[in-house]
Amino acid sequence: MAEVRAGDVLLHYEETGEGEPLVLVHGSWNDHRSWRPAVDADLKAAFRVVAYDRRGHGRSERVPGAGTRRQDEDDLAALIEALGPAPANVAANSFGASITAGLAARRPELFRRIVLHEPPLAGLVLDDPAAVADMRTVTAAVEEAKRLVREGEDAAGAKVFVERIALGPGAWETMPEPLRDTFVIHAQTWLDEQDDPDWAALDVHGLAACTAPVLLSSGTESPAWFGAVLDRLAAALPRAQRNTFRGAGHIPHVTHPQDYAATVTAFLLGT
């Protein structure tokens, strides 16, 4: 892996393939390795793929003190600028998609094309009674996971997140042990993300200045409130498109890598 300095933190990244740069931004609880199924399913055949570990994840540095999503946004900007002339293609998942959307609202010139899958920007839909009602079960699970992690029960908190939020009942025991270990290792970093008071907010008016084509995706097996978030983003973005991954949920690049890679490649290449 290579590394790049982004302000106060050293970021590690893995690069493969040739062509236009494609930066992959992972979600919470994991690191750049979560992208490997999609990278191996032909993303690396079409792009110079850069998958990095966000601050506090994988081999990137862990900086003492409470962090913010804005710091993650600045890290992504530094990485894009270090790779060569902007703009770059960026595909992002979950909290990584929130980071990418936040940066696009502030620095739209950095992006050529963007793919966002289910950013948990709950702050955008708090005025939507149906979305709020749909979020109640998830909110209760998040609070339970946060309580466990604060008490040092990282594995128990990770299990709650996996089975009640991300993948469904019974998923924890079927996950390979190295993947379970990855979730446990990043439990405290996830808690740090949750403690940022602005983690679920977004400058929607700023996002309107982003004229790059944006693909907003969701999975048929995911909670409906993600669709409500994407509706708000689509209304703000001048060049937004939508895609639904059939049979997939919150991490299609892991569960449906061939479909994900083909969809992203076609969008980014404009085919």
Side-chain angles (χ1 to χ4, degrees):
M1 292 184 70
E3 59 186 32
V4 63
R5 171 62 62 180
D8 62 345
V9 68
L10 195 64
L11 302 176
H12 283 258
Y13 66 92
E14 186 175 78
E15 185 174 336
T16 184
E18 298 179 354
E20 291 185 3
L22 168 59
V23 179
L24 303 177
V25 191
H26 66 79
S28 304
W29 298 91
N30 53 49
D31 55 34
H32 79 281
R33 293 173 295 176
S34 67
W35 291 104
R36 285 180 179 168
V39 172
D40 291 341
D42 287 348
L43 283 181
K44 66 182 180 183
F47 304 99
R48 173 190 167 202
V49 179
V50 176
Y52 76 106
D53 292 336
R54 297 195 288 108
R55 62 170 56 213
H57 297 78
R59 294 177 60 188
S60 290
E61 284 187 318
R62 302 172 186 271
V63 180
T68 65
R69 199 188 75 206
R70 188 180 179 99
Q71 289 177 314
D72 273 297
E73 294 172 11
D74 291 340
D75 292 346
L76 176 56
L79 179 66
I80 292 173
E81 292 172 330
L83 293 175
N89 297 305
V90 177
N93 176 259
S94 190
F95 195 80
S98 298
I99 291 166
T100 303
L103 181 61
R106 297 167 48 214
R107 303 272 318 268
E109 76 280 1
L110 293 176
F111 298 93
R112 183 187 302 276
R113 286 177 177 247
I114 304 171
V115 179
L116 303 176
H117 186 79
E118 297 184 349
L121 293 166
L124 298 185
V125 294
L126 294 180
D127 62 345
D128 182 335
V132 171
D134 190 52
M135 283 191 290
R136 285 194 184 115
T137 300
V138 171
T139 300
V142 167
E143 291 303 315
E144 175 67 6
K146 286 167 64 175
R147 181 188 66 79
L148 290 167
V149 174
R150 282 200 176 94
E151 294 174 356
E153 299 290 338
D154 292 356
K159 182 177 180 179
V160 167
F161 185 88
V162 167
E163 298 204 341
R164 294 174 55 187
I165 300 170
L167 299 178
W172 182 254
E173 297 304 327
T174 64
M175 290 169 59
E177 185 174 353
L179 183 55
R180 290 201 302 267
D181 290 343
T182 299
F183 269 74
V184 175
I185 288 168
H186 294 110
Q188 295 295 328
T189 303
W190 169 77
L191 181 61
D192 190 43
E193 291 172 354
Q194 292 289 306
D195 285 342
D196 175 7
D198 297 321
W199 75 269
L202 183 72
D203 177 9
V204 176
H205 296 295
L207 193 64
C210 179
T211 58
V214 180
L215 182 64
L216 303 170
S217 68
S218 59
T220 57
E221 306 309 301
S222 293
W225 69 271
F226 280 119
V229 170
L230 296 184
D231 288 343
R232 297 295 173 90
L233 295 179
L237 288 160
R239 301 177 67 187
Q241 301 178 34
R242 298 287 286 269
N243 180 75
T244 302
F245 289 104
R246 299 294 171 186
H250 199 49
I251 49 173
H253 58 290
V254 175
T255 61
H256 295 68
Q258 295 286 348
D259 189 10
Y260 183 85
T263 301
V264 169
T265 298
F267 172 74
L268 295 181
L269 295 182
T271 58

